[in-house]
Amino acid sequence: MTLQEIVSQSKNIVFFGGAGVSTESGIPDFRSKDGLYRLKYDVPPETILSADYFFSHTEEFYRFYKDKMLPLGAMPNAAHLRLAEWEKAGKLSAVVTQNIDGLHQKAGSRRVYELHGSVHRNRCLACGKKFSAEAIARSEGVPRCACGGLIKPNVVLYGEPLEDETVQGALAAISSCDTLIVAGTSLTVYPAAGFVEYFRGSRLVLINRDQTALDKKCDLVIHGSVGKAFAELT
């Protein structure tokens, strides 16, 4: 069965995506041979992107974050755009994403569960005032509010829990859909990787460049580009 056939037969699709969904928009992933975590830094990116490091080395955190985590000029690719079309047509009920780039919303998707937060939401830890990603990018040094408080991105750093409301919404969507499309993720980051276990539907699809532990359980596996797979759909 092809992806086109599966999509045509589905009435309630949920899309579960990772970093590989946005690579064709020019945003590097994390764990591939060219990924962010393979770049050489004095401090590993996994350490820099931790809650402990944010509070203990805030200036160094923001130097890396502004340089590598704020690709504000990136545009949605074929996958983002097609998913938004499906939602508008009533075929897709939700997008569950591990990405923080906001490209699903930029493409027009409305029901998006951002498991790891978003670079587009930032707030002052002292007064709660909200700031855009553009304001963070324009700031010099450590971004601070007019009240003097430290501004923190609403992204889930290592050592922080996922937001409970987002988790519950994502699990409810996955457990009630008839087709789950998992794409652009190595399924190695927990707890997000465990979300697939809640799927109870009839068609499980995996689209990823490399093999994953889920391959043998799927009804269809496509090893390749996520954007290309979606671009070929009619």
Side-chain angles (χ1 to χ4, degrees):
M1 184 172 284
T2 66
L3 180 59
Q4 183 73 62
E5 291 170 335
I6 288 176
V7 170
S8 297
Q9 294 176 16
S10 302
K11 296 182 179 179
N12 180 4
I13 299 172
V14 166
F15 181 86
F16 179 91
V21 178
S22 294
T23 52
E24 285 167 78
S25 295
I27 300 177
D29 63 9
F30 292 89
R31 291 172 175 78
S32 71
K33 63 181 179 65
D34 299 317
L36 194 60
Y37 288 173
R38 299 297 180 94
L39 300 178
K40 301 298 181 184
Y41 291 93
D42 292 338
V43 179
E46 298 98 316
T47 300
I48 298 174
L49 297 174
S50 69
D52 286 345
Y53 199 86
F54 173 81
F55 288 106
S56 63
H57 299 79
T58 310
E59 188 171 352
E60 290 86 346
F61 170 90
Y62 266 116
R63 188 178 299 119
F64 177 88
Y65 181 81
K66 291 178 186 180
D67 185 39
K68 297 297 182 183
M69 307 299 289
L70 289 177
L72 301 183
M75 297 300 293
N77 60 50
H80 300 106
L81 296 170
R82 185 57 59 95
L83 292 168
E85 290 176 5
W86 288 352
E87 182 185 39
K88 188 175 182 180
K91 183 173 282 288
L92 179 137
S93 59
V95 169
V96 180
T97 180
Q98 299 175 75
N99 297 338
I100 60 175
D101 51 46
L103 289 181
H104 286 293
Q105 289 91 334
K106 187 179 282 191
S109 290
R110 294 177 177 273
R111 192 179 181 193
V112 182
Y113 295 103
E114 297 173 302
L115 299 179
H116 297 152
S118 172
V119 299
H120 296 283
R121 296 190 297 273
N122 306 270
R123 68 180 181 87
C124 172
L125 295 179
C127 71
K129 183 178 178 180
K130 298 178 181 179
F131 294 85
S132 67
E134 289 76 13
I136 301 301
R138 289 194 304 267
S139 66
E140 295 189 12
V142 175
R144 291 196 175 274
C145 179
C147 78
L150 174 63
I151 300 172
K152 182 180 182 297
N154 182 24
V155 298
V156 178
L157 301 174
Y158 287 101
E160 294 183 323
L162 303 185
E163 184 181 71
D164 186 62
E165 183 178 351
T166 302
V167 169
Q168 294 306 316
L171 292 180
I174 289 172
S175 63
S176 61
C177 66
D178 60 22
T179 297
L180 178 63
I181 301 177
V182 180
T185 174
S186 60
L187 295 170
T188 58
V189 178
Y190 284 83
F195 283 31
V196 179
E197 297 173 10
Y198 287 80
F199 177 59
R200 298 291 181 268
S202 55
R203 293 171 289 268
L204 180 59
V205 177
L206 177 79
I207 309 170
N208 197 52
R209 188 179 65 181
D210 303 316
Q211 291 184 338
T212 76
L214 187 66
D215 286 24
K216 294 181 180 180
K217 299 180 181 179
C218 294
D219 299 286
L220 174 66
V221 176
I222 300 174
H223 285 147
S225 154
V226 179
K228 184 173 183 291
F230 273 82
E232 292 175 349
L233 296 173
T234 60

